[in-house]
Amino acid sequence: MSEANPKQRRAPGEKYGAGPSQPTDDPSRTARSILQIRNRQRRQPVDVRLLRQILASALTDELGVARYEIGIHLVGASEMTRVNETFLRHAGSTDVITFSHREPPSPTELHGEVFVCVDEAVELAPRFRGTWQSEVVRYAVHAFLHL
């Protein structure tokens, strides 16, 4: 799990065309939660609607998060390597990278961006005797704990 401070470098969405999930001062947008998922890899088909339901439930029911604005980018190993090297100065791919956009951090309000590497999930799932889909969920929930 890798974390980055987006104030140190350009926001990930600016370079990779995803549009960052920045917090907003607009009261009409902060009254509701936003969980945006973008599938930017083609190795595995992803049921984005089901994934959104699972992760929204994890945020509210399991983690007790009242409000959130989170962008999740499902990417392949090559894109994850670029993000990891550009923003964290780490070589190679990794399973998940989190960019928190909330200052100061709050356990009940989350704002940030998460990059999940589907290729890593496919590769590591057999080691943990699970499916790549369960690994993707595990990575995203782990990332929420760092927002």
Side-chain angles (χ1 to χ4, degrees):
M1 170 65 184
S2 301
E3 294 180 76
N5 181 345
K7 291 181 179 180
Q8 293 177 347
R9 296 177 192 93
R10 181 179 357 175
E14 289 176 8
K15 179 166 183 167
Y16 298 101
S21 302
Q22 294 287 340
T24 179
D25 292 328
D26 178 359
S28 66
R29 296 226 31 228
T30 57
R32 66 183 184 119
S33 294
I34 298 169
L35 180 60
Q36 186 175 41
I37 300 175
R38 293 201 170 140
N39 184 12
R40 294 164 39 178
Q41 58 83 45
R42 298 292 169 244
R43 180 172 181 181
Q44 298 291 334
V46 176
D47 185 339
V48 173
R49 181 176 289 160
L50 177 59
L51 181 58
R52 186 178 295 107
Q53 290 172 345
I54 292 168
L55 296 178
S57 176
L59 283 163
T60 57
D61 301 340
E62 302 300 325
L63 299 176
V65 177
R67 290 190 302 214
Y68 52 86
E69 288 186 43
I70 301 172
I72 298 177
H73 309 276
L74 304 175
V75 300
S78 61
E79 184 171 356
M80 184 61 96
T81 297
R82 282 192 302 274
V83 172
N84 201 18
E85 291 175 354
T86 300
F87 296 101
L88 301 178
R89 308 278 190 244
H90 297 163
S93 186
T94 189
D95 52 0
V96 62
I97 297 176
T98 303
F99 295 92
S100 178
H101 297 306
R102 175 131 175 100
E103 291 292 332
S106 167
T108 60
E109 292 185 25
L110 302 181
H111 302 277
E113 226 164 341
V114 175
F115 286 77
V116 173
C117 184
V118 175
D119 292 340
E120 293 283 330
V122 169
E123 183 179 329
L124 294 177
R127 182 184 306 170
F128 299 108
R129 297 189 176 128
T131 65
W132 67 266
Q133 295 94 330
S134 64
E135 282 297 296
V136 166
V137 171
R138 182 187 342 265
Y139 299 165
V141 171
H142 183 168
F144 296 159
L145 299 176
H146 290 272
L147 287 178

